Structures are given as structure tokens and as C-alpha cells.
Amino acid sequence: MNAELLRNEYFEKLDMLFEKNLLNKKALDHLQRRGLKVIDTLTDLGCPNLAKVLPHVVIGASDSFVDRMCVPYQATSFIAAEAFAPNSGVYAFKLLGVKGGGVTILTGGSRKLGDNVFASLHRMILGNNAIIVTVNNMMENHGQIWSWDFFGNHLKPDYPIIYDELLSLSKRLVKGDNFYFVISIRSLESVSRSGFLDFYKRNEIAMLDPKNRQKVIIMTTRSIYEYLSSVVKESELISYLKTGDDDFDVYEGLRMLRRNYEIKYLLNDGGRKMSESMRDAGLLAEERITLEPFNPATLGYPIDNSCILGKSGLGLDKSELEKALLLNSTKIEADEYANVYVYPLDESKIFYS
């Protein structure tokens, strides 16, 4: 499907949703102004084997729209599997009491080709300048640096040609001297609960290990900065972004990321709670989600409301995500779908005044 056809179908869908009173005029005008961007993985990226798996990457805003924003264009990345029964229309993104949320159980025992390709490309394209995480989320994987090959390495044994294309693409798209991990720290309680300082003193946090030469921005309050900076000192690799004195102001922090660091695109990898708070503030633009079919093995683990990513019918267009609409869906293998959803942004916040 070519880019022009994708655009036409999307705008026709917006008009249809408005006519059915599923989208109000304000949201319609906003989404029409935003437009979309389509990247062809063959002609634009030069990756013929990747293109057989995922022909295009769709972003829910044009370049000109993003250029006008005073905050980064923010996207997330999740995987979710149908829960409870086939055709239930309920999708879980984690299992309770399982390390790492039980992703390999959700995906049927192994990491799937489609998700690894989808997630790798997402990190390179929308996360090639910066990735934001919470301190708690970072500490769950403190021994790893969350680059594209966090997913891409799963492709090496069975899909070496696709891996090689991703590796070559990463060298073109991701520049280490202009790439940042942003660690969001809202409270001293989260510092204590996560064990952040103890692990840092033992040099066990990969992205803060000087030998890895990773640039890190710690987004926090002035009071937490004063507490942390005597141990986690500012350097050529570590900088602090202070959003306020005692109260954490994520909106001001995002404005500073755009203004001070020229971060136009930001991949939010801080977990479901953080992404939903950004969404409710009108600051989250889109979500990339790989939807997996039901796997009977999940019945052996508890799943409660905190595990549920979405349910069919919740979206503005009756798709799966509350307050979102489905921008694009690509079938990859069997019943695996690479989906991109968009949220209306708050234009009173996202543009320079």
C-alpha cells in the first residue's frame, strides 16, 4: 500500500468518525492539521528484507507539524496479547508475579519476529534522539542499555539477514553524540524504593557506567537534584534538568528537553502508568503496540485490571485503546499485528505561544 493511499484512507476515516459523532470537531481539525508521515522500509530505508516483514512505518504527524511543537513528539512502545480466551477482545501487556511481565509467555514462548522488527524500527526512528524512562522502570533492567538491539538481538539466530539490515540502519539513524536517555525522577521515595543510589555506587547501572559513554539527562526537581548530585555528579555524560523546586512539572521538563537539547522526537519507555499520565495531560501523541493472539499458557498466571492494556470498543473509533484511534495496522505473521494508535494532543500546550 503506497503512502498516498494510506493518507487518503486515514483522512476518510477521520471524516467518517466525525459524521458518526465519534470524533468532535476540535479533535477532527487537530488530527487533520497533524497529518501523518509514511516511511517506506524499502525505498526510504533501503531494507528489502525488513520490507517483507514491515513494508512501512507510519507516524501520526507530518514533519512540519512536529517542527512547530514546543515539546517533543512523544510515542510509546508496548506488546500485548489477547487475554482470557480467543476473540475476547481484551489485551494484557503483563502477567502478575512474572519477571519482566512475562513477555515471552504472552508471545507464546519466544520473542516474535514481528515485534522484534517493529520495536527495533520504532526505537531507531522515534527514539533515535532520546528515550525517557522512570527511575523505577530503568532499575528493573539496570544491567542493560535499551538500544534497538535490546529487541534486535533476538533476530540474530533465525533472521541474520534482517538483523544485519537493522544494524546497518542503526548506524545511519542513531548518532551517539546526539542521543540521550532521560531518567524521570518525581520523588525521593522512588529513589529509595528502586535502590538507585546503591546500584550507582557499585557501578551496576549500565547507562550510567562511564565506559559505555552514554549521555543521560536526569529530569527531576531542584530539591531532589540537591540530594542526588553530590553522589551522581554532573559530567560530560550526566546532566540534570530541574523542573521546579519541590513539585515535579513534567510539562516544563518536556519544554526544556525541546528547547535546551533540541529533542524533537521522544520514545516514552516509562511504563503504562507514565504513558497514561502523559496521555491525560494531552502530551502523548501515539502508541506502537504489537497485538498477539491468545496463548493458553497465560491461564496459569493471574491477570487483573493493572495488566490490561486495552479492550475492543474502548477507542474513539471502537478500537482497543481508550481515548485513541487506530492509525495503521499491519498483519505480520499468523495473527500478529503491528498497530499504531494516535491520541489527540492539547494544542494549548504543544505549540510555542
Side-chain angles (χ1 to χ4, degrees):
M1 184 179 293
N2 64 40
E4 193 59 33
L5 185 56
L6 280 171
R7 289 189 182 92
N8 290 339
E9 286 189 353
Y10 176 56
F11 285 116
E12 287 173 5
K13 177 178 180 176
L14 293 179
D15 287 335
M16 179 270 291
L17 292 172
F18 175 68
E19 290 171 4
K20 292 185 175 181
N21 294 318
L22 296 173
L23 202 63
N24 62 37
K25 187 66 164 62
K26 182 179 179 181
L28 173 69
D29 291 345
H30 163 71
L31 292 168
Q32 288 177 332
R33 282 192 295 270
R34 268 171 68 171
L36 72 160
K37 179 178 180 178
V38 181
I39 300 171
D40 188 295
T41 48
L42 176 59
T43 59
D44 296 328
L45 301 182
C47 298
N49 293 287
L50 278 174
K52 294 174 184 176
V53 181
L54 195 67
H56 49 256
V57 176
V58 184
I59 299 171
S62 65
D63 286 338
S64 60
F65 187 92
V66 175
D67 286 343
R68 294 171 53 211
M69 293 174 63
C70 67
V71 295
Y73 183 89
Q74 193 177 167
T76 71
S77 180
F78 286 95
I79 187 168
E82 199 162 28
F84 306 124
N87 303 312
S88 68
V90 179
Y91 294 91
F93 71 99
K94 68 177 181 178
L95 302 170
L96 293 176
V98 184
K99 183 175 175 57
V103 169
T104 56
I105 299 170
L106 288 170
T107 57
S110 63
R111 296 298 299 246
K112 294 290 186 69
L113 167 65
D115 182 59
N116 288 318
V117 168
F118 199 20
S120 295
L121 283 172
H122 200 70
R123 293 212 172 197
M124 285 186 214
I125 294 171
L126 284 164
N128 69 351
N129 197 179
I131 296 175
I132 188 170
V133 297
T134 64
V135 65
N136 290 313
N137 199 265
M138 178 193 70
M139 291 306 297
E140 289 183 7
N141 296 281
H142 61 85
Q144 297 173 300
I145 295 179
W146 300 355
S147 60
W148 70 271
D149 51 9
F150 187 85
F151 301 97
N153 283 339
H154 295 293
L155 297 166
K156 268 185 178 180
D158 298 322
Y159 305 97
I161 296 175
I162 291 179
Y163 174 83
D164 288 343
E165 285 188 351
L166 285 168
L167 178 61
S168 176
L169 187 62
S170 72
K171 293 175 181 178
R172 283 187 277 149
L173 296 181
V174 184
K175 307 299 181 184
D177 59 350
N178 194 38
F179 173 76
Y180 302 90
F181 274 107
V182 183
I183 305 173
S184 170
I185 304 179
R186 289 176 170 265
S187 68
L188 285 175
E189 180 186 2
S190 63
V191 174
S192 174
R193 188 172 61 246
S194 67
F196 174 61
L197 286 180
D198 290 335
F199 279 82
Y200 177 78
K201 290 173 184 176
R202 297 195 299 266
N203 198 30
E204 293 179 4
I205 303 175
M207 69 174 66
L208 291 171
D209 186 337
K211 76 173 187 291
N212 290 325
R213 306 300 300 168
Q214 176 59 58
K215 289 185 178 180
V216 173
I217 301 166
I218 299 176
M219 181 194 294
T220 192
T221 64
R222 187 174 301 278
S223 59
I224 295 175
Y225 160 75
E226 291 171 355
Y227 174 77
L228 286 181
S229 58
S230 62
V231 179
V232 185
K233 300 182 184 299
E234 293 182 89
S235 68
E236 62 173 335
L237 295 175
I238 299 173
S239 59
Y240 282 85
L241 193 157
K242 300 175 279 293
T243 68
D245 292 329
D246 296 309
D247 295 326
F248 186 86
D249 186 344
V250 68
Y251 173 55
E252 181 57 27
L254 293 172
R255 287 174 63 94
M256 293 169 73
L257 286 177
R258 184 66 185 258
R259 181 174 66 245
N260 298 353
Y261 295 91
E262 298 182 348
I263 294 172
K264 290 174 63 174
Y265 291 91
L266 179 64
L267 183 59
N268 182 329
D269 223 344
R272 198 72 207 144
K273 186 175 180 180
M274 183 180 186
S275 66
E276 288 181 349
S277 69
M278 293 287 193
R279 176 202 68 191
D280 293 344
L283 299 170
L284 180 63
E286 67 178 61
E287 301 211 76
R288 178 214 68 84
I289 297 172
T290 312
L291 287 187
E292 302 285 350
F294 172 72
N295 175 28
T298 60
L299 296 175
Y301 302 88
I303 298 174
D304 65 12
N305 284 337
S306 71
C307 303
I308 303 303
L309 184 94
K311 301 177 183 180
S312 296
L314 282 183
L316 297 174
D317 56 352
K318 305 304 179 184
S319 57
E320 297 79 19
L321 295 190
E322 186 178 5
K323 303 180 182 179
L325 62 88
L326 181 62
L327 170 62
N328 183 250
S329 181
T330 302
K331 188 172 183 178
I332 300 178
E333 286 189 311
D335 294 319
E336 185 180 33
Y337 289 86
N339 287 358
V340 179
Y341 304 80
V342 291
Y343 293 104
L345 291 162
D346 185 342
E347 291 195 4
S348 70
K349 296 179 179 178
I350 64 169
F351 293 133
Y352 290 102
S353 55

